[in-house]
Amino acid sequence: MTVSPIDCHELLTLALEAARAGGEVLLGARRELAARAASRRTAEASVETKGVRRELVTATDRAAERAVVGRILAARPQDGVLAEEGELTPKGEISQDAEVLWIVDPLDGTTNFVHGLPFFSVAVAAYAGKLPLVGVVLAPDLGRTWYAAAGLGAFHQSATDDPTPIRVSPTSELADALLATGFSYVRNEPGRDTNVGRIGMVIGECRDLRRYGSAEIDLALTGEGSFDAYWELDLQAYDVAAGAVIVREAGGRVTDLDGGDEWLFGGSILASNGAVHDRLLSLVGNAAQRSR
Ligand code: LIP
């Protein structure tokens, strides 16, 4: 099925509106979290339990999802939705078989959000089957938004800058490359690949490595050329769906860690500027791990 650029333009406009609605919810909750943190530092007795903070984050996750998915379904009730929290659609399931599927992460970078760090985002993507159509990554505390649409290119805008086209970096040698990765929450299962071994294979060959804690922001920064590549294991479709569109439309390459195209639902992803992709795959890819 082909989707004309006009359709993608309409989908992108809706994705941006929905992401902004989710971003407003996150910023409001951030202010509440900051106020609670300040009160904890001053009033000894009111030590907030982790559960309360986690509940606040969960409530935020859900409120942001209601804002994003509600906006989408109000405009396009015929579309399918895959959203993390299951507020208006079945949790973590595709709501209906439809020509367009929206994939939504209302709060990517949860740990950063809880700890008061700005690297968290709202991610909204639309796909036709596995064909990427549009992707929006909005980082409200950074005041930055990255977005892309099939056939229309990739862009960045901020509170001070108008929309500007973005392209992946020209870096051709791994020795000059700034890489990004991350770690699953699940780390202590026997035999679990924690990604640490893969880092050991590349850390001596690259310029440096960053772990910002939001897959969607890592992908957006790869699309704008700040990172030369990013990889990670054990991710959900909503952790990568929007950022992958941005990398591809910015001229980059996205595969799974076997070098194949199962990066959306397969759990692992390698996104790069294209020039360092094969070299990086030979070091952190699954074949390299099996041969170790
Ligand atoms: C996060 C990802 C991040 C990964 C974290 C976590 P969440 O998603 O964006 O890249 O390293 O373990 O999965 O849970 O904040 O939506």
Side-chain angles (χ1 to χ4, degrees), residues 14-285:
L14 178 55
L16 283 164
E17 288 172 2
R20 288 172 186 138
E24 287 304 314
V25 172
L26 297 188
L27 281 181
R30 259 298 270 114
R31 285 190 282 270
E32 182 176 346
L33 264 177
R36 284 171 179 251
S39 65
R40 269 201 316 278
R41 283 192 287 271
T42 52
E44 286 310 311
S46 65
V47 175
E48 183 182 82
T49 65
K50 190 174 178 181
V52 172
R53 200 184 321 163
R54 180 68 213 168
E55 271 316 301
L56 177 61
V57 175
T58 304
T60 301
D61 244 327
R62 289 174 177 163
E65 185 169 295
R66 278 197 303 277
V68 173
V69 175
R71 182 67 190 81
I72 290 168
L73 291 180
R76 297 178 60 94
Q78 74 277 17
D79 290 355
V81 174
L82 170 60
E84 182 171 8
E85 297 305 320
E87 271 304 288
L88 299 176
T89 56
K91 183 178 176 66
E93 294 177 20
I94 294 173
S95 60
Q96 62 178 342
D97 186 22
E99 187 181 28
V100 174
L101 172 66
W102 295 89
I103 303 176
V104 174
D105 192 341
L107 172 54
D108 187 56
T110 310
T111 301
N112 290 335
F113 181 82
V114 171
H115 285 263
L117 296 171
F119 305 106
F120 58 90
S121 58
V122 181
V124 182
Y127 281 64
K130 290 197 315 187
L131 176 69
L133 300 178
V134 302
V136 174
V137 176
L138 183 148
D141 224 18
L142 297 175
R144 300 182 70 181
T145 304
W146 300 265
Y147 58 91
L152 296 178
F155 301 85
H156 168 265
Q157 74 178 105
S158 71
T160 55
D161 300 327
D162 292 334
T164 307
I166 57 175
R167 294 290 295 176
V168 292
S169 71
T171 308
S172 58
E173 299 298 327
L174 206 54
D176 302 322
L178 180 61
L179 308 179
T181 190
F183 309 101
S184 163
Y185 289 121
V186 180
R187 296 172 192 158
N188 304 317
E189 279 174 5
R192 178 93 182 192
D193 185 340
T194 61
N195 194 25
V196 172
R198 298 174 196 245
I199 288 172
M201 296 296 290
V202 74
I203 194 68
E205 296 221 20
C206 66
R207 169 171 287 173
D208 208 343
L209 184 70
R210 296 289 183 269
R211 194 283 198 261
Y212 277 2
S214 165
E216 293 282 16
I217 292 178
D218 292 336
L219 288 163
L221 291 171
T222 301
E224 75 168 28
S226 296
F227 289 147
D228 299 295
Y230 158 76
W231 85 92
E232 192 162 347
L233 301 87
D234 301 320
L235 293 171
Q236 301 296 323
Y238 37 73
D239 290 320
V240 302
V245 183
I246 293 165
V247 173
R248 287 163 56 103
E249 286 301 314
R253 182 178 168 197
V254 180
T255 68
D256 56 35
L257 284 173
D258 288 308
D261 60 5
E262 293 303 324
W263 45 267
L264 184 59
F265 293 104
S268 73
I269 192 167
L270 172 60
S272 77
N273 64 0
V276 300
H277 205 94
D278 288 337
R279 175 62 184 145
L280 198 50
L281 201 56
S282 72
L283 294 169
V284 302

